[in-house]
Amino acid sequence: MKYKRIRQLAFMLLSLTVVLACKKEQPQMNTEEKDPCDCASEVSADFEIWEGSSQVPNPRQTLTDTTYKDRTVEFRAQEENAEYTWYIGSDVETGQVTWKYFPDQWANQDIPITLVVKKEPNSVCFPEDDGYDSITKTFHISDYWQETTNDVDLGPIEGTYRVKSEHLADSFDVEFYADKNFQGEIMFNIINYDGEGSNCIDQARITGSNYRQVWTTNGTGSLVCDALRGYIHNRLDGVTEMHFSFGSTGPNNPDYYERTYFGRKLN
């Protein structure tokens, strides 16, 4: 019996040794912390220029470097939680977001906008940052749009575009222009809007227009131009983006489509 107990004790000691050895051989978890400066940045006075203002009810806003005349333009600082001073002509404004109305007499002028930002800097990641930055950007106020009794010219947004969409193998041309119908209403006209030869002439109405972007809608239930709704956008990066939906009864109808085109303006 004594010999049996000794064998049991030896077996237990051997098992414990194996378990401890296995634990020692397990790989160690990577406890290395991420560099806290990876997402940090120096204090910056960079800002964006938007045609249209969020202070205007139901605004149509477009990131831009050029605007129509007779418009309210919004300026948005990118730095959060700082002290902001804007210099817009002779006006001095504060706040992360500000705006100004530019009437017709500003047409064909370049407008410099200066932003000064002050903020407690991140001295750990950027020991040489003094927490102060100043940037001046210039945007242009065009002399569009131009309107007469019988016609309207929206400017460079009108013209012919070559675009590509997932629903067709090859690229295709889309032409857009605005005019007035016999009632004097400004209309959204687009040739080959689906890439398959469909045209919409003096049927769809423009619901908003900025220098770089124009919108149309017919509303759900309208049969005009397959209830064409959407926008054309000449983006700042040089790419034209168009987004349209078709179908009079909405997304649950098998004849409803949403399509996005990307391309460039030809003329």
Side-chain angles (χ1 to χ4, degrees):
M1 294 292 294
K2 182 177 181 181
Y3 177 74
K4 185 176 180 180
R5 290 194 188 98
I6 292 174
R7 286 186 62 188
Q8 291 175 339
L9 180 60
F11 179 78
M12 291 175 61
L13 289 173
L14 179 61
S15 299
L16 180 61
T17 300
V18 171
V19 170
L20 291 175
C22 290
K23 288 185 177 181
K24 289 181 181 179
E25 292 174 1
Q26 290 181 354
Q28 297 294 318
M29 293 185 64
N30 184 9
T31 58
E32 184 177 337
E33 294 185 1
K34 187 176 181 180
D35 185 351
C37 293
D38 280 351
C39 299
S41 60
E42 295 185 68
V43 174
S44 171
D46 192 19
F47 63 92
E48 295 177 338
I49 301 169
W50 289 79
E51 184 170 5
S53 172
S54 59
Q55 306 305 311
V56 178
N58 302 313
R60 298 285 196 180
Q61 295 183 284
T62 306
L63 181 65
T64 193
D65 57 4
T66 306
T67 71
Y68 285 143
K69 60 186 177 181
D70 192 28
R71 286 299 173 93
T72 299
V73 183
E74 184 170 289
F75 309 98
R76 302 179 187 175
Q78 301 301 288
E79 190 73 56
E80 300 281 348
N81 304 315
E83 178 184 332
Y84 314 91
T85 305
W86 300 88
Y87 298 92
I88 308 172
S90 60
D91 295 340
V92 179
E93 304 289 346
T94 60
Q96 186 174 359
V97 178
T98 190
W99 58 92
K100 183 176 176 62
Y101 169 67
F102 295 90
D104 287 0
Q105 58 261 35
W106 291 93
N108 289 316
Q109 295 193 44
D110 294 328
I111 311 298
I113 307 295
T114 298
L115 172 63
V116 176
V117 169
K118 297 179 181 179
K119 182 179 180 179
E120 186 69 28
N122 185 336
S123 57
V124 174
C125 298
F126 304 99
E128 297 184 2
D129 187 2
D130 61 1
Y132 175 96
D133 193 31
S134 175
I135 290 179
T136 297
K137 292 186 178 182
T138 299
F139 76 98
H140 181 72
I141 298 178
S142 73
D143 61 352
Y144 294 105
W145 71 34
Q146 297 174 359
E147 186 174 355
T148 64
T149 303
N150 300 316
D151 199 10
V152 62
D153 185 351
L154 301 184
I157 192 76
E158 297 187 38
T160 302
Y161 298 83
R162 181 153 296 162
V163 297
K164 183 70 178 67
S165 174
E166 291 182 353
H167 77 288
L168 293 176
D170 298 323
S171 60
F172 56 95
D173 290 354
V174 172
E175 181 185 353
F176 165 72
Y177 65 94
D179 64 7
K180 287 186 174 181
N181 63 13
F182 67 94
Q183 294 177 323
E185 300 173 296
I186 298 175
M187 307 305 290
F188 184 105
N189 302 291
I190 186 164
I191 308 299
N192 197 29
Y193 63 80
D194 57 0
E196 299 175 303
S198 298
N199 303 327
C200 190
I201 307 298
D202 283 344
Q203 297 293 318
R205 286 166 175 78
I206 290 177
T207 58
S209 180
N210 291 331
Y211 183 84
R212 288 185 169 272
Q213 191 168 10
V214 62
W215 294 263
T216 183
T217 185
N218 278 296
T220 302
S222 172
L223 299 178
V224 173
C225 303
D226 296 327
L228 174 67
R229 304 182 287 279
Y231 61 79
I232 296 173
H233 183 193
N234 286 336
R235 302 184 332 201
L236 279 174
D237 61 3
V239 174
T240 294
E241 177 182 343
M242 303 183 185
H243 183 82
F244 296 115
S245 64
F246 319 97
S248 60
T249 56
N252 295 325
N253 189 292
D255 294 326
Y256 177 86
Y257 303 96
E258 288 192 9
R259 291 173 178 161
T260 300
Y261 312 154
F262 294 100
R264 60 187 176 88
K265 192 169 187 289
L266 297 179
N267 57 60

